[in-house]
């Protein structure tokens, strides 16, 4: 633990920890103790464990709020019974809250209808991390459910398809940031920058031999080289920052009494930018890089220039 936080990733904004609460019988347990057999003992054991770690975190000069606990990875994954793990999650959530520790909780739910899951557990999360493909494919009700939650909970997006699947550096990697903006999310993620598949002897340079190679980097024993997917991620982050800059420029212009028509044009651009980019790019639920997929990969750059023009107009600058 100390090596992770002090040497491998010193100064990280957040450390995410999977406590691996998934079991074949879908029952909450810690060190062999089942919650259903003795809830009080379960709660006490969870509290003892977390209080030990909170004390240690503080002893090395860190804040427990930097650490977020994932109880079960991707709850709702079982299509035949998507809510079967809700009782186990509930037991863990309640035990963590009773522990009195200040660790955060996060969840990456994959329920197709999350409103049917046990809502108090979802309410308890400090952060919700949802799949980009689900935002694109599960419909307006799904999108609005999480947009509403973004008012009170941190929201982020992620994806986890293997590179071998041929996912497009533009629509799969870059445009996730545009969807994050539309969802009021402030984070994006991809599984996984450090994963080179189940047969690492092949290396990242032989992707076809690694069906589970995920990394947007080319990795081998001596080098780390960014691939086009990593460049797509980088450009998406920059796109998001352009949108932030336009939003902030509008606020400054309003305070300075800039011409109302200029502000109105900038506000329309900010409101419509995401839909314009996604619609005209031709993005689908699982955006693959296929010759039969009509994708215009110039739109994000074109809208980025429009945003820059809008910022310049509001500030009175020229370029």
């Amino acid at each position: 633990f100390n090596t992770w936080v002090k040497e491998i990733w010193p100064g990280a904004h957040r450390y995410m920890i999977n406590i691996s609460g998934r079991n074949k019988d879908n029952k909450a347990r810690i060190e062999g103790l089942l919650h259903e057999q003795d809830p009080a003992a379960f709660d006490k054991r969870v509290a003892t464990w977390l209080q030990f770690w909170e004390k240690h975190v503080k002893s090395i000069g860190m804040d427990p709020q930097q650490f977020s606990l994932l109880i079960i990875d991707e709850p709702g994954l079982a299509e035949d019974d998507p809510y079967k793990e809700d009782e186990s999650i509930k037991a863990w959530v309640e035990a963590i809250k009773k522990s009195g520790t200040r660790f955060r909780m996060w969840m990456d739910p994959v329920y197709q209808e999350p409103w049917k899951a046990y809502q108090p557990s979802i309410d308890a999360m400090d952060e919700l991390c949802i799949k980009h493909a689900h935002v694109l494919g599960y419909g307006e009700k799904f999108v609005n459910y999480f947009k509403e939650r973004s008012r009170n909970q941190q929201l982020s997006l992620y994806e986890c398809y293997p590179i071998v699947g041929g996912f497009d550096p533009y629509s799969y990697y870059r445009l996730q940031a545009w969807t994050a903006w539309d969802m009021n999310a402030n984070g994006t993620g991809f599984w996984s920058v450090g994963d080179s598949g189940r047969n690492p002897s092949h290396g990242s340079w032989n992707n076809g031999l690694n069906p589970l190679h995920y990394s947007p980097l080319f990795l081998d024993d001596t080098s780390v080289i960014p691939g086009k997917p990593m460049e797509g991620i980088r450009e998406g982050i920059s796109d998001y920052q352009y949108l932030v800059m336009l939003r902030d420029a509008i606020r400054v212009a309003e305070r300075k009494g800039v011409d109302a028509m200029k502000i109105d044009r900038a506000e329309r651009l900010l409101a419509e930018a995401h839909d314009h980019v996604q619609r005209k790019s031709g993005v689908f639920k699982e955006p693959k890089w296929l010759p039969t997929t009509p994708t215009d990969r110039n739109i994000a750059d074109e809208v980025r220039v429009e945003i820059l023009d809008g910022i310049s107009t509001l500030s009175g600058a020229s370029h």
Side-chain angles (χ1 to χ4, degrees), residues 120-178:
S121 290
I122 301 179
D123 294 341
M125 296 298 132
D126 297 284
E127 178 179 347
L128 297 170
C129 187
I130 56 177
K131 278 176 67 69
H132 187 204
H134 294 176
V135 175
L136 298 178
Y138 282 176
E140 185 177 1
K141 185 175 181 179
F142 181 93
V143 169
N144 290 339
Y145 173 88
F146 284 105
K147 276 189 176 181
E148 182 63 31
R149 285 191 167 275
S150 72
R151 300 173 185 271
N152 301 305
Q153 293 169 284
Q154 185 177 339
L155 189 66
S156 58
L157 302 182
Y158 78 102
E159 264 312 345
C160 56
Y161 290 108
I163 295 289
V164 176
F167 288 91
D168 184 1
Y170 174 77
S171 54
Y172 180 79
Y173 289 96
R174 182 175 180 176
L175 294 193
Q176 187 181 125
W178 289 84

Side-chain angles (χ1 to χ4, degrees), residues 93-109:
V93 165
E94 292 178 350
I96 292 169
K97 290 168 69 175
K98 290 175 185 176
S99 75
T101 57
R102 297 179 60 249
F103 295 115
R104 292 165 59 90
M105 289 186 284
W106 71 288
M107 178 188 287
D108 54 347

